[in-house]
């Protein structure tokens, strides 16, 4: 796989029940960190890595994602007439002009592996990326996917983003066993979905960024339901290990699990503190809030 990736898959068909009632009408991928929805952060990361074809695997309730990436003629006209050019640029740049969006429906929620398989007709026979927008990765330098795309091009191996997690959390992740790392990459020898801590092969967890060989599709077609009764991407990757090199990649950056309340809060705080215009005010109000709570405790 010495080819540069051009296509990225975004599975966005989940129900987002953790964020009810907000997600009753707003898909969880549309929840914002400051002023951008989660999906936009993932899209920006894929475009930065060189992708020009973005495939959104949605369900029939997720019009909001398609609407968001559609051209907003009326809004653009209004902003133009009002001379709000900065905002106009923001709205237009949701998708740069050289990038196209393709929407594929996943009729039934059969699992992440099945969602990725739905993109097969559009990907064809080339390496591609998968990004899970819940996993937001903050980095001052190149984005995580860009780092991985470079590694995939150089090594010819599929790449799976990983990070260490506390042992008691292995049941929430795909967990890998690897050979010795060479720099940021280590060849994966085993991968298992959501093992209990006592049977987990390590505490090295899969984060939602993948660069995969198209051979995964044939394997996913033969993958039977696994953890949680779902067709797991992890199980497809486990079959791929026998045919192809698959590397775990320790990316540079901080990952926020925006599929949880605390992760979403943490990400908001981080982006606010790192924000050109909001940083000072955000720092001040956090200090004030802590002080006020401290005072309350003393009373
Ligand atoms: C999915 C994958 C899992 C991975 C995780 C990363 O699980 O199945 O292997 O570790 O994303 O966020 P989910 O969080 O969708 O249950």
């Amino acid at each position: 796989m010495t080819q540069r990736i051009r296509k990225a898959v975004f599975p966005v068909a989940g129900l987002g029940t953790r964020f009810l009632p907000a997600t009753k009408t707003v898909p969880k991928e549309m929840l914002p960190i400051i002023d951008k929805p989660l999906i936009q952060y993932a899209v920006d990361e894929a475009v930065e890595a060189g992708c020009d074809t973005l495939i959104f695997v949605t369900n029939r309730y997720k019009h909001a994602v398609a609407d968001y990436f559609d051209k907003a003629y009326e809004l653009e006209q209004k902003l133009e007439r009002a001379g709000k050019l900065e905002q106009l640029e923001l709205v237009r740049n949701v998708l740069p002009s050289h990038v196209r969006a393709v929407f594929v429906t996943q009729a039934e929620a059969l699992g992440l592996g099945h969602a990725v398989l739905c993109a097969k007709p559009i990907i064809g026979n080339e390496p591609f990326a998968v990004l899970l927008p819940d996993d937001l990765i903050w980095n001052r330098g190149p984005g995580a996917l860009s780092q991985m795309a470079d590694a995939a091009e150089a090594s010819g191996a599929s790449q799976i983003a990983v990070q260490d997690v506390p042992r008691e959390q292995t049941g929430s992740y795909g967990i890998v066993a690897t050979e010795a790392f060479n720099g940021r990459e280590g060849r994966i020898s085993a991968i298992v979905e959501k093992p209990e801590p006592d049977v987990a092969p390590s505490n090295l967890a899969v984060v939602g960024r993948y660069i995969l060989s198209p051979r995964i599709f044939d394997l996913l077609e033969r993958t039977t339901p696994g953890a949680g009764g779902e067709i797991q991407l992890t199980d497809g990757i486990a079959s791929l290990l026998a045919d192809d090199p698959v590397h775990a990649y320790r990316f540079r950056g901080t990952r926020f699990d925006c599929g949880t309340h605390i992760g979403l809060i943490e990400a908001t705080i981080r982006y606010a503190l790192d924000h050109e215009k909001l940083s000072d005010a955000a720092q001040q109000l956090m200090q004030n809030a802590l002080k006020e709570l401290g005072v309350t405790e003393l009373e």
Side-chain angles (χ1 to χ4, degrees):
M1 189 205 298
T2 45
Q3 210 180 334
R4 184 80 186 184
I5 46 154
R6 295 189 309 119
K7 296 178 180 171
V9 179
F10 303 83
V12 288
L15 290 177
T17 48
R18 277 205 190 126
F19 292 103
L20 283 169
T23 46
K24 201 175 156 203
T25 53
V26 180
K28 66 174 171 170
E29 297 78 13
M30 294 303 296
L31 296 176
I33 303 293
I34 316 287
D35 49 11
K36 282 202 291 185
L38 284 172
I39 188 73
Q40 181 76 59
Y41 288 92
V43 160
D44 290 349
E45 193 182 317
V47 172
E48 185 218 359
C51 296
D52 60 11
T53 302
L54 311 182
I55 301 139
F56 299 90
V57 183
T58 66
N59 64 28
R60 62 189 173 286
Y61 303 112
K62 298 254 177 149
H63 295 297
V65 177
D67 289 348
Y68 177 79
F69 288 107
D70 208 353
K71 196 165 170 65
Y73 288 105
E74 275 186 20
L75 176 61
E76 288 190 17
Q77 267 179 6
K78 274 187 194 155
L79 291 172
E80 203 164 5
R81 277 196 208 122
K84 297 194 166 174
L85 301 183
E86 210 177 304
Q87 286 89 336
L88 182 64
E89 267 321 280
L90 286 174
V91 171
R92 282 194 176 144
N93 285 341
V94 159
L95 270 192
S97 54
H98 71 282
V99 176
R100 66 175 183 146
V102 181
F103 293 85
V104 178
T105 304
Q106 184 188 20
E108 277 180 282
L110 297 179
L112 181 58
H114 179 257
V116 171
L117 188 53
C118 292
K120 179 182 176 183
I122 296 135
I123 304 280
N125 193 28
E126 58 183 288
F128 65 100
V130 177
L131 297 96
L132 309 185
D134 278 9
D135 280 335
L136 176 56
I137 303 178
W138 177 87
N139 190 36
R140 286 221 171 95
L145 193 70
S146 185
Q147 299 167 37
M148 292 166 70
D150 289 347
E153 231 178 335
S155 68
S158 294
Q159 302 283 337
I160 317 282
V162 295
Q163 70 173 30
D164 292 300
V165 296
R167 178 53 78 166
E168 63 273 16
Q169 290 177 17
T170 58
S172 303
Y173 295 94
I175 300 289
V176 299
T178 66
E179 293 172 8
F181 269 71
N182 179 8
R184 297 194 168 269
E185 283 174 81
R187 186 170 177 152
I188 298 179
S189 50
I191 182 166
V192 31
E193 183 68 5
K194 304 199 168 95
E196 290 304 321
D198 53 332
V199 292
S202 75
N203 62 337
L204 201 51
V206 173
V207 169
R209 299 290 182 278
Y210 308 77
I211 292 180
L212 297 170
S213 146
R215 296 179 76 164
I216 193 81
F217 291 125
D218 288 347
L219 301 166
L220 283 173
E221 268 163 2
R222 281 183 255 137
T223 302
T224 51
E230 299 189 336
I231 298 175
Q232 296 290 351
L233 182 58
T234 296
D235 294 340
I237 295 169
S239 312
L240 186 63
L241 298 180
D243 306 339
D244 261 11
V246 183
H247 290 182
Y249 187 88
R250 286 187 196 270
F251 55 93
R252 285 181 301 274
T254 308
R255 170 245 183 192
F256 301 103
D257 180 1
C258 293
T260 66
H261 293 129
I262 201 68
L264 202 66
I265 294 169
E266 202 185 350
T268 303
I269 292 174
R270 177 67 62 97
Y271 279 80
L273 290 176
D274 193 48
H275 195 283
E276 220 191 331
K277 292 184 188 149
L278 301 175
S279 170
D280 290 348
Q283 255 185 59
Q284 194 58 54
L285 69 83
M286 277 177 222
Q287 273 164 9
N288 292 349
L290 289 170
K291 212 157 105 193
E292 273 178 40
L293 289 173
V295 171
T296 313
E297 268 167 30
L298 286 178
E299 277 168 1

